[in-house]
């Protein structure tokens, strides 16, 4: 058990130099240690071969290192890699590595389970166990980056908060993790390469803008009327479409960052041309918005089915004809439990 040890990755360069000074160590060691932490992706103090053994021991006594371990790895035929992580007390969460069109994207979880019970989602069925700490979120990114380097010799280009959980319901830790990922002495990722995806909590979307967050913000829309959306996303009852669209526009105007709408097409539920017209109408209220049309990864035991490829294409062409940028996001890793929450959910059952 790590007790109250602090994660070494939470220290800024200045704090680390100060700590080293207190130990009678030269300041340049901070650069060596941070290189191991962020560039070389070390997962233990013992790997820090150019740091003297005595100093490594002191670090180990006072600081925590990797707060997650990998418990399972699955690789799909389309190269998608899914990792199941275990927290120090045995909770399972998941992260996914997606290779597509020159991008290498790490998809990370922000909570163990989720409290929002969206009707089409495996994670929603687990309930929320607890929030993840910023360390645990960043650790997922680092472990996925290591996986990308090993599997394809390439680093990450993008990070998306689209795994288990609703990021805005873990607001403080998620924002802290964004700071760590974008800090020049952290992973130094551009905020433009990071997307936070929310099921839609208007008040917190506005707060992100007010707090100076600059990453991309995506709203999981999935329906075009409140009545329809209430049926699949109970959070909509207190966050109606009008307030969500206004909050997204506010975020874009205040932050200057890109915004997008995520829209999973469900056969016979939200995939008529009437839906497409309403989607267009909503998108037109959002300057520069990008619409991602997502193929549904079916979840065993749930009755939702994904729309066929022709319908998805028709939606895309319709939106583009009227000047809205739309991309079809093909379902990845179909052969490896790739639906949100499936792998960890199975892990929970095995655990029980
Ligand atoms: S879709 Fe997202 S917000 Fe909804 S239940 Fe699943 S994890 Fe939670």
């Amino acid at each position: 058990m790590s007790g109250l040890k602090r994660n070494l990755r939470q220290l800024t360069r200045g704090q680390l130099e100060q700590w080293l000074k207190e130990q009678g160590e030269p300041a340049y060691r901070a650069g060596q240690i941070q290189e191991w932490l962020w560039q070389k992706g070390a997962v233990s103090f013992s790997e820090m071969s150019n740091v003297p053994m005595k100093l490594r021991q002191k670090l180990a006594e006072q600081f925590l290192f990797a707060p997650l371990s990998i418990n399972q790895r699955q690789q799909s035929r389309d190269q998608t890699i899914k990792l199941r992580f275990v927290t120090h007390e045995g909770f399972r969460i998941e992260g996914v590595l997606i290779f597509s069109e020159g991008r290498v994207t790490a998809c990370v979880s922000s909570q163990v389970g989720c409290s929002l019970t969206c009707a089409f989602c495996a994670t929603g069925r687990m309930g929320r166990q607890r929030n993840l700490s910023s360390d645990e979120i960043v650790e997922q990114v680092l472990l996925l980056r290591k996986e990308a380097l090993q599997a394809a010799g390439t680093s990450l280009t993008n990070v998306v908060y689209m795994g288990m959980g609703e990021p805005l319901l873990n607001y403080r830790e998620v924002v802290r993790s964004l700071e760590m990922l974008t800090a020049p002495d952290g992973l130094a990722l551009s905020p433009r390469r990071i997307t936070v995806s929310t099921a839609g909590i208007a008040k917190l979307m506005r707060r992100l803008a007010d707090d100076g967050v600059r990453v991309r913000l995506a709203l999981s829309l999935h329906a075009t009327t409140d009545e329809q959306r209430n049926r699949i996303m109970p959070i909509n009852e207190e966050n109606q479409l009008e307030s969500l669209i206004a909050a997204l526009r506010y975020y874009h105007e205040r932050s200057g960052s890109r915004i997008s709408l995520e829209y999973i097409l469900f056969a016979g539920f939200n995939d008529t041309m009437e839906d497409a017209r309403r989607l267009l109408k909503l998108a037109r209220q959002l300057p520069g918005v990008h619409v991602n049309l997502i193929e549904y990864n079916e979840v065993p035991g749930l009755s939702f089915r994904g729309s066929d490829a022709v319908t998805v294409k028709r939606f895309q062409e319709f939106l583009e004809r009227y000047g809205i940028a739309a991309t079809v996001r093909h379902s990845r890793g179909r052969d490896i439990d790739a639906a949100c929450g499936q792998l960890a959910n199975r892990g929970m059952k095995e655990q029980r």
Side-chain angles (χ1 to χ4, degrees):
M1 185 65 194
S2 55
L4 292 172
K5 283 184 196 173
R6 198 167 166 203
N7 190 311
L8 190 54
R9 286 203 179 92
Q10 287 205 340
L11 268 61
T12 61
R13 176 68 163 253
Q15 288 169 326
L16 187 53
E17 283 175 3
Q18 178 59 31
W19 182 84
L20 286 163
K21 198 171 156 195
E22 287 160 17
Q23 313 303 313
E25 297 283 349
Y28 73 84
R29 295 272 180 226
Q32 292 176 324
I33 295 169
Q34 288 204 316
E35 192 179 13
W36 282 107
L37 290 177
W38 297 104
Q39 274 81 47
K40 296 185 182 165
V43 292
S44 70
F45 293 107
S46 58
E47 286 174 64
M48 299 181 173
S49 52
N50 57 356
V51 175
M53 177 75 87
K54 244 178 94 185
L55 179 55
R56 276 187 261 160
Q57 279 166 354
K58 276 192 208 166
L59 285 166
E61 281 160 21
Q62 301 202 22
F63 297 101
L64 177 72
F65 208 111
L68 295 176
S69 53
I70 297 174
N71 156 278
Q72 192 179 333
R73 178 188 187 277
Q74 292 184 331
Q75 181 152 21
S76 152
R77 282 190 291 274
D78 66 17
Q79 280 226 297
T80 301
I81 295 173
K82 188 154 189 165
L83 298 180
R84 183 161 79 190
F85 304 111
V86 185
T87 66
H88 67 88
E89 77 274 60
F91 283 126
R92 280 117 194 254
I93 54 167
E94 64 192 26
V96 184
L97 191 62
I98 302 156
F99 299 88
S100 64
E101 296 141 22
R103 288 190 198 177
V104 184
T105 304
C107 174
V108 296
S109 298
S110 55
Q111 298 180 305
V112 184
C114 184
S115 56
L116 294 191
T117 63
C118 300
F120 50 85
C121 170
T123 303
R125 305 169 90 197
M126 296 163 62
R128 190 196 76 104
Q129 314 289 327
R130 74 161 167 86
N131 286 339
L132 292 175
S133 67
S134 51
D135 295 338
E136 289 167 326
I137 298 170
V138 170
E139 193 65 31
Q140 292 173 67
V141 176
L142 290 167
L143 290 171
L144 287 163
R145 185 183 66 157
K146 198 167 189 181
E147 195 65 40
L149 286 165
Q150 276 164 5
T154 166
S155 191
L156 300 176
T157 60
N158 296 72
V159 175
V160 296
Y161 287 60
M162 289 188 190
M164 297 166 71
E166 164 52 52
L168 299 189
L169 290 181
N170 184 14
Y171 188 91
R172 200 183 52 149
E173 295 300 310
V174 163
V175 170
R176 173 89 188 102
S177 70
L178 294 172
E179 286 165 5
M180 290 161 79
L181 293 179
T182 54
D185 52 3
L187 210 53
L189 282 172
S190 161
R192 290 196 304 273
R193 299 276 179 183
I194 304 177
T195 302
V196 169
S197 173
T198 177
I201 301 160
K203 184 172 79 186
L204 296 174
M205 291 160 71
R206 287 172 178 271
R207 186 171 154 198
L208 280 179
D210 294 340
D211 286 348
V213 172
R214 295 287 173 269
V215 298
R216 295 182 174 209
L217 184 61
L219 171 66
S220 298
L221 190 67
H222 311 328
T224 53
T225 68
D226 284 311
E227 188 276 327
Q228 191 186 32
R229 200 164 185 268
N230 287 345
R231 276 161 53 202
I232 55 167
M233 301 179 76
I235 186 73
N236 192 69
E237 282 165 27
E238 280 156 29
N239 293 270
Q240 302 261 292
L241 283 174
E242 198 183 332
S243 69
L244 293 175
I245 296 296
L248 202 51
R249 199 171 50 224
Y250 179 82
Y251 181 81
H252 173 67
E253 285 165 2
R254 282 295 293 256
S255 69
S257 304
R258 296 278 301 270
I259 47 174
S260 54
L261 293 174
E262 310 288 318
Y263 193 86
I264 303 177
L265 282 116
F266 299 110
F269 179 74
N270 64 357
D271 65 349
T272 64
M273 284 318 286
E274 196 51 43
D275 291 297
R277 274 188 281 278
R278 286 195 296 258
L279 179 56
L280 174 68
K281 211 169 153 191
L282 292 171
R284 280 181 157 169
Q285 298 173 48
L286 298 165
V289 75
H290 193 104
V291 178
N292 288 311
L293 301 167
I294 304 168
E295 282 182 359
Y296 182 53
N297 244 338
E298 288 170 12
V299 178
L302 297 185
S303 57
F304 289 93
R305 295 287 166 262
S307 304
D308 58 57
V310 176
T311 308
V312 178
K313 188 87 191 130
R314 200 184 308 138
F315 252 68
Q316 184 195 24
E317 286 169 358
F318 177 77
L319 292 173
E320 297 229 299
R321 195 180 321 138
Y322 289 97
I324 298 293
T327 308
V328 176
R329 301 275 178 216
H330 297 289
S331 160
R332 314 288 299 187
R334 275 182 191 271
D335 49 324
I336 57 159
D337 296 335
C340 164
Q342 247 167 269
L343 182 66
N345 208 1
R346 192 148 61 81
M348 293 267 178
K349 281 184 198 136
E350 282 161 13
Q351 207 175 13
R352 271 185 228 131

